Amino acid sequence: MIGITKLLCGTATPGDALRYGRDSSRLPAHLLQFSADKKPIVVWNSTLRCNLRCIHCYASATTDRDPNELTTEEGRKLIDDVAEFGAPVLLFSGGEPLTRPDVIELATYAHGKGLRVVLSTNGNLITKPMARKLKDAGFSYIGVSLDGIGAENDYFRGKKGAFDAALRGIRNCVDVDLKAGLRCTMNALNFHALGPLLDLVEGENINRVCFYHLVYAGRGNDLRHQALTQEQSRAALDLIMDRTLDFHRRGIEKDVLTVDTHCDGV
């Protein structure tokens, strides 16, 4: 993970960790990399079930529950192990984790174990009541995937109206003071949409955005030929860095990152 905002704008430095101390349990999310007891975050693909069918899904998620999916009790035991190990973050991913009926129960349990719990989601199931449940369960961050504006995102998601539903999900999180960010998988099909997505981040007052490279797994493997070229990758990074510096100069607080894999747990 490359923190573009930190790299270019100096918004977090090792000196900040000295003020907070270097115990990961006391550090805010953006300073975890400076902790003395740094350990990896844990991403739990808690289900392969999903309400959408994204053309680039690295998990080849389906509408059906996988018979090997962990039960609630098994999930609790996993959380016990993660907490005992001392991982600072447990990220619920999928599939779509909100299709698990017990996700709120499991997140509440993990939060009670001292873990920082975050969610990777398509956002379509985050109604106003669900946003409140997520907040009460102890989620500290909700990462919502968007790969274009309007119909372009709907094409990636395989469902008309997916963009509008995801945007409502983000707004519902913001309304209950739950931090929500945008996640985008860059590829040749949506390369031209990076600018409009950054416009959306500014217009909707979204404080965090992560850009990913295409993962060659699951259905994403079928899109290898749509991966960014070297020239497009450079242009994308130039755009992201230019916009990050522009945000900073105008006093707009944004946490902009680029990531090589599907994991933005903090």
Side-chain angles (χ1 to χ4, degrees), residues 233-251:
S233 292
R234 176 55 189 263
L237 286 174
D238 284 344
L239 171 65
I240 292 167
M241 289 189 290
D242 287 346
R243 291 295 298 271
T244 299
L245 285 170
D246 180 60
F247 289 150
H248 184 66
R249 291 188 186 108
R250 291 188 286 136

Side-chain angles (χ1 to χ4, degrees), residues 3-5 7-9 191 194-195 198-199 202 209 211 232-252 254 256-258:
I4 300 296
T5 305
L7 179 67
L8 296 181
C9 307
F191 172 70
L194 300 184
L198 285 163
D199 292 339
E202 180 175 356
V209 55
F211 292 97
Q232 288 173 325
S233 292
R234 176 55 189 263
L237 286 174
D238 284 344
L239 171 65
I240 292 167
M241 289 189 290
D242 287 346
R243 291 295 298 271
T244 299
L245 285 170
D246 180 60
F247 289 150
H248 184 66
R249 291 188 186 108
R250 291 188 286 136
I252 301 173
K254 303 292 179 189
V256 183
L257 306 101
T258 61

Side-chain angles (χ1 to χ4, degrees), residues 80-254:
D80 288 340
D81 288 343
V82 172
E84 183 178 357
F85 172 70
V89 175
L90 176 62
L91 186 154
F92 287 80
S93 188
E96 171 50 57
L98 293 184
T99 62
R100 280 193 68 125
D102 59 357
V103 67
I104 297 298
E105 176 185 348
L106 290 169
T108 302
Y109 182 74
H111 181 64
K113 287 284 185 176
L115 290 165
R116 185 171 295 165
V117 288
V118 298
L119 181 71
S120 176
T121 174
N122 59 48
N124 280 224
L125 300 177
I126 305 179
T127 60
K128 289 183 180 296
M130 177 55 74
R132 172 51 62 185
K133 289 180 181 179
L134 295 172
K135 174 74 172 181
D136 292 343
F139 279 101
S140 61
Y141 174 72
I142 310 296
V144 178
S145 296
L146 285 176
D147 294 302
I149 303 296
E152 184 169 52
N153 177 76
D154 294 355
Y155 168 73
F156 279 96
R157 304 292 157 203
K159 182 179 180 181
K160 185 176 180 179
F163 174 81
D164 292 335
L167 194 55
R168 282 196 300 271
I170 292 173
R171 291 168 176 168
N172 289 337
C173 289
V174 172
D175 286 346
V176 297
D177 196 30
L178 178 56
K179 184 178 179 181
L182 186 153
R183 312 166 71 249
C184 172
T185 299
M186 300 182 294
N187 57 80
L189 296 175
N190 69 354
F191 172 70
H192 61 281
L194 300 184
L197 282 170
L198 285 163
D199 292 339
L200 179 72
V201 166
E202 180 175 356
E204 291 290 332
N205 197 28
I206 298 169
N207 293 325
R208 181 184 177 94
V209 55
C210 296
F211 292 97
Y212 302 86
H213 295 287
L214 183 66
V215 176
Y216 302 150
R219 289 192 290 273
N221 193 47
D222 297 331
L223 291 182
R224 280 176 173 265
H225 62 290
Q226 297 292 358
L228 293 180
T229 64
Q230 196 171 44
E231 292 76 16
Q232 288 173 325
S233 292
R234 176 55 189 263
L237 286 174
D238 284 344
L239 171 65
I240 292 167
M241 289 189 290
D242 287 346
R243 291 295 298 271
T244 299
L245 285 170
D246 180 60
F247 289 150
H248 184 66
R249 291 188 186 108
R250 291 188 286 136
I252 301 173
E253 294 185 5
K254 303 292 179 189

